[in-house]
Amino acid sequence: DPRRQAAAEGPEEGVSPMTAIINATLVMRDHLIPNGVLLMENGVITAFGESRKMTIPEGCEIIDAEGRYVGPGFVDIHCHGFPGGRCHTSAESFADYHLKHGTTGLLGSIYRTLSHTDTLAGIELIRNAMLKYKNLLGVHMEELLVLQGQSMNIGLYKVAQEPKDKRLLYYAQRLQRAA
């Protein structure tokens, strides 16, 4: 888990390792916690609760939510584009748009109708954008590759018998390991 690795490596230079989000309405699975506090260390949530029951560590960076809602992120595992573009042609704008609209993790879905060359170019574009945008988690290859006439999911990718399709799978697996 990259977040756990970041926590183990410690904070970036000049950044407080602890952050407290105060005056938040925390969104829980089945209820809200008004006037809540969320504590994070190196980007990993360590504690949360009602402000009257929480102690904010000394030296913490304080973020005042001013009553705004703070809740779990939204992960979209099948997303082709955004107003004005597609993930395989505008990957950075795609990731930026979705992050600004609350999607904290997404997979760019490659159209099954793209040519082999355009598919590889789209994967490469998404791979490069992943270096800058941490909300861009990888590639979803929509019914692109077929095994004996039927789709077979292996992780987020489809597998095939054709040599060019095996190359796509290999490339997708390398992308997943590099992320």
Side-chain angles (χ1 to χ4, degrees), residues 6 9-17 42:
E9 292 171 358
E12 295 177 27
E13 193 173 318
V15 175
S16 173
N42 298 316

Side-chain angles (χ1 to χ4, degrees), residues 114-162:
L114 292 179
S115 70
H116 181 71
T117 301
D118 288 344
T119 298
L120 288 176
I123 291 171
E124 183 66 22
L125 193 66
I126 292 169
R127 179 182 169 284
N128 290 335
M130 288 171 64
L131 300 173
K132 181 176 178 184
Y133 289 91
K134 300 304 179 194
N135 67 318
L136 189 49
L137 304 175
V139 176
H140 167 254
M141 296 169 73
E142 180 183 80
E143 299 176 20
L144 183 61
L145 309 175
V146 179
L147 175 62
Q148 297 175 350
Q150 296 180 348
S151 295
M152 180 177 174
N153 282 314
I154 302 284
L156 301 170
Y157 306 103
K158 311 282 182 177
V159 186
Q161 296 284 345
E162 297 296 319

Side-chain angles (χ1 to χ4, degrees), residues 93-106:
S93 296
F94 167 75
D96 187 57
Y97 173 85
H98 285 283
L99 184 59
K100 287 178 180 175
H101 289 85
T103 307
T104 56
L106 73 156

Side-chain angles (χ1 to χ4, degrees), residues 17-96:
M18 290 293 293
T19 303
I21 301 176
I22 64 169
N23 299 321
T25 301
L26 301 178
V27 179
M28 308 308 291
R29 183 181 318 185
D30 58 353
H31 66 285
L32 300 174
I33 300 175
N35 198 21
V37 172
L38 180 96
L39 297 177
M40 296 179 292
E41 184 170 4
N42 298 316
V44 177
I45 296 172
T46 59
F48 61 88
E50 296 175 36
S51 63
R52 64 185 175 86
K53 296 179 181 178
M54 299 289 295
T55 302
I56 298 173
E58 211 171 297
C60 230
E61 174 190 2
I62 305 290
I63 298 172
D64 188 345
E66 300 176 348
R68 291 183 183 97
Y69 290 90
V70 175
F74 176 72
V75 177
D76 188 341
I77 63 168
H78 183 155
C79 188
H80 292 282
F82 63 103
R86 298 285 175 217
C87 67
H88 64 277
T89 58
S90 307
E92 286 193 11
S93 296
F94 167 75
D96 187 57

